Amino acid sequence: MNPSAAPRLRAALRLLSIGCAFALAACSSQPPVPDWQMNAQGASQKAIEAYLSGNARVEKLEWDRARAEVARTGRPDLLARLELMRCAAQVASLVAEPCERFEALRADAAAPEQAYADYLAGRVQASQVALLPPAQRAAATSGDATSLAGITDPLSRLVAAGVLLQMGHASPAVIATATDTASAQGWRRPLMAWLLLQVQRAEAAGDTAAASALRRRVAVVEQSGALPR
């Protein structure tokens, strides 16, 4: 991963975790941060970095480590929050799967986490929008590409674009913004997903020149290593 992207990814993790309890204390006058909290925060950050870059082995190792640290608290609400971080990264990469690990914990999750899970699934209700992270509220209400322009964090922007796709609002502008965002960060997994979606749409429209150009981009990404299915 590009080292310059690390600060932006850390900011993304804070947004995706919805005020995550794993964030480190910023003031030295506060009580010491428990070991589990520091360990979970570090492991979840590494897991998402690995997922976006397509490193499945490291991703699994770090998610398992993060879950084990959170489990030390005996709090399913915190574990549910952790699972949402993972599912958000999947939505950003166009993985259309139910967030099963969260759903198993939904009964103990707080209202903001439940709202965010519904948002990731493309079924958020108007009454839940105010509970979403600020970066996602505009996408949840406007449903168009203009809402992405105001999201400065790259990962949050990709999450919003993935949600718009699930809601049937992924215009060419939305897809192009998502592709450019993933490309700028060097995030192989979401980049490949969004490029292949563009290829599919270009072929469906009979635009063979655009499809060929996009396939050349796909070939370049493939040179960086095979992504696990």
Side-chain angles (χ1 to χ4, degrees):
M1 174 180 234
N2 186 341
S4 65
R8 291 189 291 272
L9 181 54
R10 285 193 290 270
L13 294 177
R14 288 194 293 272
L15 288 173
L16 292 177
S17 61
I18 320 173
C20 182
F22 314 137
L24 298 179
C27 179
S28 60
S29 64
Q30 294 180 347
V33 179
D35 286 345
W36 75 265
Q37 194 170 334
M38 292 189 293
N39 295 340
Q41 192 263 353
S44 59
Q45 177 181 321
K46 291 176 183 177
I48 290 185
E49 289 174 349
Y51 179 79
L52 295 174
S53 64
N55 192 332
R57 183 186 66 82
V58 173
E59 175 208 353
K60 182 181 185 305
L61 178 67
E62 296 298 339
W63 277 130
D64 288 347
R65 182 174 299 162
R67 291 187 185 104
E69 291 294 334
V70 177
R72 291 168 56 187
T73 68
R75 290 183 56 182
D77 59 320
L78 295 183
L79 195 57
R81 192 175 294 171
L82 179 70
E83 295 301 341
L84 281 180
M85 296 171 65
R86 175 177 170 271
C87 290
Q90 291 181 325
V91 169
S93 304
L94 303 188
V95 176
E97 297 177 354
C99 193
E100 293 180 351
R101 287 179 178 266
F102 171 83
E103 292 302 330
L105 300 163
R106 178 183 279 270
D108 294 298
E113 279 73 27
Q114 293 184 16
Y116 194 59
D118 291 340
Y119 170 72
L120 293 178
R123 58 171 186 265
V124 68
Q125 302 297 313
S127 60
Q128 297 176 299
V129 172
L131 299 175
L132 296 176
Q136 306 299 330
R137 292 173 191 164
T141 54
S142 68
D144 57 36
T146 59
S147 63
L148 301 182
I151 302 177
T152 58
D153 176 74
L155 186 51
S156 294
R157 192 183 310 130
L158 281 176
V159 171
V163 170
L164 289 177
L165 179 66
Q166 293 197 64
M167 296 171 64
H169 299 313
S171 65
V174 167
I175 298 173
T177 296
T179 304
D180 291 345
T181 298
S183 175
Q185 301 304 311
W187 290 338
R188 293 193 306 150
R189 187 185 295 273
L191 176 58
M192 182 69 80
W194 287 100
L195 282 174
L196 290 175
L197 177 62
Q198 284 189 302
V199 169
Q200 179 183 5
R201 293 202 171 186
E203 290 178 341
D207 192 340
T208 56
S212 295
L214 289 163
R215 287 196 176 278
R216 290 194 292 273
R217 293 191 65 183
V218 169
V220 171
V221 178
E222 289 176 336
Q223 291 177 18
S224 65
L227 286 169
R229 297 296 180 183

